[in-house]
Amino acid sequence: MATTAEKATPCCSANRGTAVGAAAKVKADSVLPVGNDWTVDQKRSAAAAASSAVTAVIRPVEESAISKAPPKGVQLLTRAQTMHPLDPLSAAEISVAVATVRAAGATPEERDSMRFVEIVLLEPERRVVALADAYFFPPFQPSLLPRTKGGPFIPSKLPPRRARLIVYNKRSNVTSIWVVELSEVHATARGGHHRGKVISSKEVPDVQPPMDAVEYAECEAAVKSYPPFIEAMKKRGIDDMDLVMVDAWCVGYHSESDAPSQRLAKPLIFCRTESDCPMENGYARPVEGIYILVDMQNMVIIEFEDRKLVPLPPADPLRNYTSGETRGGVDRSDVKPLHILQPEGPSFRVSGHFIEWQKWNFRIGFTPREGLVIFSVAYTDGSRGRRPVAHRLSFVEMVVPYGDPNEPHYRKNAFDAGEDGLGKNAHSLKKGCDCLGYIKYFDAHFTNYTGGVETIENCVCLHEEDHGILWKHHDWRTGQAEVRRSRRLTVSFICTVANYEYGFFWHFYQDGKIEAEVKLTGILSLGALQPGETRKYGTTIAPGLYAPVHQHFFVARMDMAIDCKPNEAFNQVVEVNVKVEEPGQNNVHNNAFYAEEKILKSELQAMRDCDPSSARHWIVRNTRTVNRTGQLTGYKLVPGSNCLPLAGPEAKFLRRAAFLKHNLWVTPYDREERYPGGEFPNQNPRLNEGLATWVVKDRSLEETDIVLWYVFGVTHIPRLEDWPVMPVERIGFMLMPHGFFNCSPAVDVPPSSTSEIELKETGGSKPVSAGLLAKL
């Protein structure tokens, strides 16, 4: 992931990718120039100067830490510390990791058979991050390190970064995990030869890694060229295979036939109406009755059956969602331009992947599986300094189970992170009006299936948003009114998984809140009906066409650090329920209620569900830090709207998704426990792998490093208004300070400097003059 230059971004403007003028840039004295703003020589000079400044005040490094002499004939290029230990892998690092693993293959056949499913930064231990944040990178906070007699020992450089690779051998159907050290960059006389070092490699039995876009394309080609499939489509009146869309879906695990000894997919089929219309909604015509099983390792059809001739739905005149002329309609003409102006630039500051805004500071990361990751979240609280809130925040899994028991819908229960990858399916946000205002973009780098490096430009968006009123009070006695507008900093990315789009957002507020939000949109996954048929498991939205009921579940993993330095673990979790006081002496007016707290002392006690009737929420507290009233400092998790799975307890997909059975799970931190359904949910035959297995150990949650796993979802009963495109539906939750501050941090927010125009007449449509707009 690489930063790109800041951009003032009007919606869909022609100059979206150009840098803005100096007047609109972040102040140079408060931001280290990043990304494309510096030349390579400038970057090296500045990094070397910074490194020299640090080295001048620290002890010499021990002999054992000095790199060994390079091989004869190879010059070792010493470099300044330019990448933070949590920065996403660069394109160059990915290339080095791929080349290193490929070179370690024992035979040419093994090397040629390697498919690179995922390459990600192997996140270092927290002491390494603390060292980096203390002396090498912002926030430059030496107090993060534990105090020692004689002062801290600080090496002149950080440990080498490492990459973790998931490699699938297409020839042997074996999955392996590799760790590569990216410590040395060599330059030979011939130039450009880079090599890392293999630290470890191991085969992982009985698993299948996530699917890849290359496999999807190959699967579609294999199905469309299969003679029995061509004949089946002819029975349905389709001779042109260019009209056919084949979406490869993972088979899940329903029986032993789905075991990971083979790499399998059961595609869903759709058919366009016009091959020369690239903007047509192809999902409007599902093809049903055809059963296909594909061997994805060898890309051959191993089972095929035309079970039932279901007529293709007629072409729905309302099926397309593009501009009016392409769908036979007329677009609205009365929407006036809305400009988001920040003439002095934004209030945030960016240094590499380090962000500062309104007393908040954190780092941005990105992985192929999770997408956006937020690291080292802290709040600068006056004389109390920089106060940690969380080590790491991300969305680690999502599951979409469908509620129709008929073929093929009963097996639609996608694990979109674990079987596919949210980050790998992210968009370039320059393709559409995804963000408004003054925007900082970050690029993301991935490996493709064959080991090449691909870059998603403008993958992550960072910008400020006006969010209505923050607080207001009007004193009727004096007539004085005070109001403050709320501003929030938003970090987001958007991905497409087949027919659905998901936007993942982290919002930071001036009053200390953090909001996690998912926006669901895209196109419904549909089914075809026989003439005159209706189904109670969905909504008929057009002749011969219906949308099955389904649910969307998301899992947020939050490694909390309330007032804890990297070497500290003083957090606990408290559940709060509102109780009604029993009638009697303490409640003579029958109006009394109160908040009752209960400490969740172990993992099995902390398997909890939402309860709106008691205003249930959970607080993570520091057991050794108090506020001015003597209360323990904390942050509380406040649920939004939520649900639990509506499938029966014996539903097959719950074997792999036992984590959906509760809204909240709490575990002590373990760096190997990253994904709630295990690392390889694709065709996973193991029962309850992941969270449901880990918590059986019933580890203590008292004064420890707390990890919250919050499961939230929505039940979607489709409407006609969700067709042909589904308007955004929002779900999420809030992390709110609870005794963390001594008073409201919103009280020092200054009055807004925004202007307003009062519209005196409603009949006219005279636009605001350019001069007035410039003044505003």
Side-chain angles (χ1 to χ4, degrees):
M1 185 182 205
T3 58
T4 57
E6 292 86 350
K7 300 158 188 171
T9 314
C11 184
C12 293
S13 66
N15 64 344
R16 185 160 193 154
T18 61
V20 297
K25 282 187 177 289
V26 182
K27 294 181 180 179
D29 59 351
S30 63
V31 183
L32 293 175
V34 296
N36 298 335
D37 292 345
W38 279 4
T39 65
V40 173
D41 290 338
Q42 287 175 318
K43 288 180 181 178
R44 287 177 177 169
S45 299
S51 179
S52 298
V54 171
T55 306
V57 298
I58 61 180
R59 299 179 181 181
V61 68
E62 294 179 343
E63 264 189 336
S64 60
I66 300 176
S67 300
K68 294 180 180 180
K72 186 176 181 180
V74 179
Q75 178 188 1
L76 180 64
L77 301 181
T78 58
R79 299 189 302 170
Q81 202 77 45
T82 58
M83 299 196 72
H84 187 277
L86 294 176
D87 282 352
L89 293 178
S90 67
E93 288 177 315
I94 293 173
S95 295
V96 169
V98 169
T100 303
V101 170
R102 186 170 274 145
T107 64
E109 292 77 16
E110 181 181 351
R111 294 191 287 271
D112 291 343
S113 298
M114 287 181 174
R115 298 295 181 266
F116 295 87
V117 177
E118 178 182 295
I119 302 179
V120 69
L121 174 75
L122 180 62
E123 294 171 20
E125 295 180 1
R126 289 188 183 146
R127 61 179 180 79
V128 176
V129 177
L131 179 64
D133 289 346
Y135 295 104
F136 292 85
F137 296 92
F140 297 111
Q141 186 181 356
S143 62
L144 289 170
L145 297 175
R147 294 181 180 179
T148 57
K149 292 182 179 181
F153 170 75
I154 309 160
S156 60
K157 64 179 181 179
L158 296 170
R161 283 159 57 89
R162 293 182 174 185
R164 185 178 187 271
L165 300 86
I166 298 176
V167 180
Y168 174 68
N169 189 301
K170 192 172 177 64
R171 188 164 177 246
S172 63
N173 193 37
V174 170
T175 299
S176 57
I177 296 176
W178 298 67
V179 174
V180 172
E181 188 174 276
L182 306 168
S183 56
E184 298 178 353
V185 179
H186 298 294
T188 64
R190 297 178 181 177
H193 181 67
H194 304 278
R195 183 67 57 85
K197 176 184 177 183
V198 174
I199 300 300
S200 66
S201 65
K202 64 176 181 179
E203 293 185 358
V204 186
D206 300 320
V207 301
Q208 284 294 338
M211 292 290 186
D212 186 85
V214 170
E215 292 180 290
Y216 292 151
E218 291 177 349
C219 177
E220 180 172 70
V223 170
K224 290 166 66 171
S225 63
Y226 188 58
F229 176 76
I230 295 173
E231 286 300 315
M233 293 305 297
K234 287 181 178 179
K235 292 180 183 178
R236 291 158 174 80
I238 302 298
D239 293 311
D240 185 358
M241 286 295 107
D242 289 339
L243 297 174
V244 177
M245 298 164 43
V246 179
D247 282 6
W249 279 57
C250 296
V251 298
Y253 187 86
H254 295 268
S255 66
E256 183 60 31
S257 62
D258 299 326
S261 56
Q262 289 181 289
R263 189 164 174 80
L264 303 173
K266 292 182 179 179
L268 298 180
I269 312 299
F270 303 88
C271 186
R272 299 178 185 272
T273 305
E274 306 171 73
S275 60
D276 59 349
C277 181
M279 292 182 289
E280 184 183 0
N281 178 5
Y283 289 106
R285 299 182 80 199
V287 179
E288 293 208 2
I290 299 177
Y291 169 83
I292 310 172
L293 181 65
V294 181
D295 175 354
M296 300 293 281
Q297 176 189 358
N298 302 300
M299 214 50 69
V300 295
I301 285 78
I302 55 178
E303 292 182 20
F304 179 89
E305 187 178 353
D306 191 354
R307 294 176 172 175
K308 185 179 181 181
L309 183 58
V310 180
L312 281 175
D316 181 11
L318 302 179
R319 68 187 181 279
N320 291 334
Y321 51 85
T322 46
S323 57
E325 61 272 13
T326 67
R327 55 180 167 79
V330 178
D331 287 339
R332 304 183 191 195
S333 60
D334 57 349
V335 180
K336 305 301 181 183
L338 175 65
H339 297 280
I340 308 298
L341 303 176
Q342 292 181 273
E344 297 181 20
S347 300
F348 57 76
R349 299 183 296 176
V350 179
S351 176
H353 291 85
F354 183 71
I355 314 299
E356 296 176 279
W357 177 84
Q358 292 291 290
K359 303 184 181 181
W360 284 110
N361 53 83
F362 54 87
R363 288 191 172 274
I364 288 178
F366 204 87
T367 74
R369 181 165 181 161
E370 303 158 282
L372 177 63
V373 180
I374 308 294
F375 292 108
S376 306
V377 180
Y379 190 95
T380 303
D381 186 18
S383 61
R384 301 184 73 172
R386 182 176 180 270
R387 302 177 63 190
V389 174
H391 291 299
R392 193 182 194 276
L393 307 172
S394 69
F395 298 97
V396 289
E397 189 56 274
M398 60 172 292
V399 184
V400 188
Y402 280 71
D404 187 341
N406 296 286
E407 176 78 34
H409 308 287
Y410 78 89
R411 55 182 171 85
K412 288 160 63 174
N413 40 74
F415 287 60
D416 286 333
E419 291 179 340
D420 204 334
L422 303 178
K424 287 199 301 183
N425 287 283
H427 296 170
S428 173
L429 296 178
K430 65 183 180 180
K431 298 178 180 178
C433 304
D434 299 288
C435 308
L436 291 176
Y438 195 109
I439 298 167
K440 176 75 173 88
Y441 284 119
F442 297 83
D443 297 343
H445 303 296
F446 302 100
T447 177
N448 59 29
Y449 205 39
T450 55
V453 179
E454 296 185 356
T455 298
I456 302 177
E457 295 182 351
N458 296 7
C459 183
V460 171
C461 174
L462 172 74
H463 71 294
E464 295 176 285
E465 296 179 343
D466 179 89
H467 195 62
I469 294 175
L470 177 62
W471 63 266
K472 180 173 183 174
H473 180 65
H474 176 261
D475 190 326
W476 63 272
R477 289 183 173 84
T478 64
Q480 181 176 348
E482 290 287 338
V483 62
R484 302 292 187 269
R485 291 200 66 79
S486 176
R487 189 180 298 191
R488 68 184 185 184
L489 183 69
T490 295
V491 196
S492 63
F493 81 103
I494 300 174
C495 68
T496 298
V497 185
N499 53 294
Y500 258 106
E501 265 75 19
Y502 300 98
F504 295 90
F505 297 77
W506 291 98
H507 305 293
F508 295 83
Y509 291 84
Q510 292 165 303
D511 60 352
K513 295 196 301 286
I514 302 173
E515 182 183 10
E517 182 182 38
V518 179
K519 298 180 181 179
L520 300 81
T521 181
I523 302 173
L524 295 169
S525 181
L526 305 175
L529 296 172
Q530 296 276 14
E533 181 187 6
T534 59
R535 286 190 189 173
K536 66 179 180 180
Y537 306 108
T539 302
T540 301
I541 60 172
L545 200 59
Y546 87 110
V549 295
H550 57 281
Q551 295 181 289
H552 299 261
F553 290 100
F554 305 87
V555 184
R557 181 183 181 276
M558 295 166 282
D559 184 358
M560 305 301 291
I562 304 301
D563 275 328
C564 285
K565 295 177 182 178
N567 62 311
E568 297 175 340
F570 302 139
N571 283 179
Q572 65 176 190
V573 182
V574 175
E575 179 174 285
V576 181
N577 290 281
V578 174
K579 299 287 186 178
V580 176
E581 186 68 81
E582 293 293 334
Q585 185 176 355
N586 293 330
N587 189 18
V588 295
H589 303 292
N590 288 314
N591 70 314
F593 59 91
Y594 60 96
E596 181 179 80
E597 296 186 355
K598 177 184 178 182
I599 298 175
L600 304 179
K601 296 183 178 181
S602 69
E603 290 177 291
L604 292 180
Q605 290 184 23
M607 297 161 54
R608 308 298 295 162
D609 296 326
C610 296
D611 184 4
S613 66
S614 67
R616 179 174 294 170
H617 57 275
W618 300 276
I619 305 174
V620 180
R621 284 184 173 148
N622 186 296
T623 57
R624 304 193 184 188
T625 306
V626 297
N627 53 36
R628 65 172 180 165
T629 64
Q631 300 170 356
L632 298 177
T633 60
Y635 258 74
K636 67 179 181 181
L637 190 165
V638 181
S641 60
N642 209 335
C643 62
L644 288 169
L646 296 173
E650 301 303 318
K652 296 296 185 181
F653 77 90
L654 288 177
R655 288 177 53 94
R656 302 184 295 146
F659 54 88
L660 298 183
K661 295 179 180 179
H662 295 286
N663 296 127
L664 180 74
W665 306 72
V666 186
T667 61
Y669 172 76
D670 184 327
R671 66 181 301 180
E672 298 300 320
E673 297 177 358
R674 300 186 302 274
Y675 308 114
E679 182 162 18
F680 299 101
N682 185 15
Q683 296 180 239
N684 185 3
R686 293 168 292 280
L687 182 65
N688 296 339
E689 187 169 22
L691 263 176
T693 298
W694 302 333
V695 300
V696 171
K697 293 177 282 187
D698 203 24
R699 293 166 291 187
S700 172
L701 299 177
E702 298 189 86
E703 283 210 332
T704 190
D705 189 344
I706 293 295
V707 178
L708 300 178
W709 307 75
Y710 183 63
V711 182
F712 60 105
V714 60
T715 301
H716 193 187
I717 311 298
R719 313 166 297 158
L720 267 68
E721 292 82 358
D722 292 328
W723 181 251
V725 65
M726 191 181 81
V728 164
E729 186 166 0
R730 295 170 172 85
I731 58 173
F733 62 92
M734 194 77 74
L735 292 173
M736 301 177 65
H738 189 92
F740 190 79
F741 301 105
N742 287 327
C743 68
S744 171
V747 72
D748 63 2
V749 174
S752 174
S753 60
T754 58
S755 302
E756 60 184 34
I757 302 172
E758 183 180 359
L759 186 62
K760 298 295 186 181
E761 300 179 4
T762 59
S765 59
K766 184 177 179 180
V768 178
S769 68
L772 178 58
L773 188 63
K775 290 180 181 179
L776 295 177

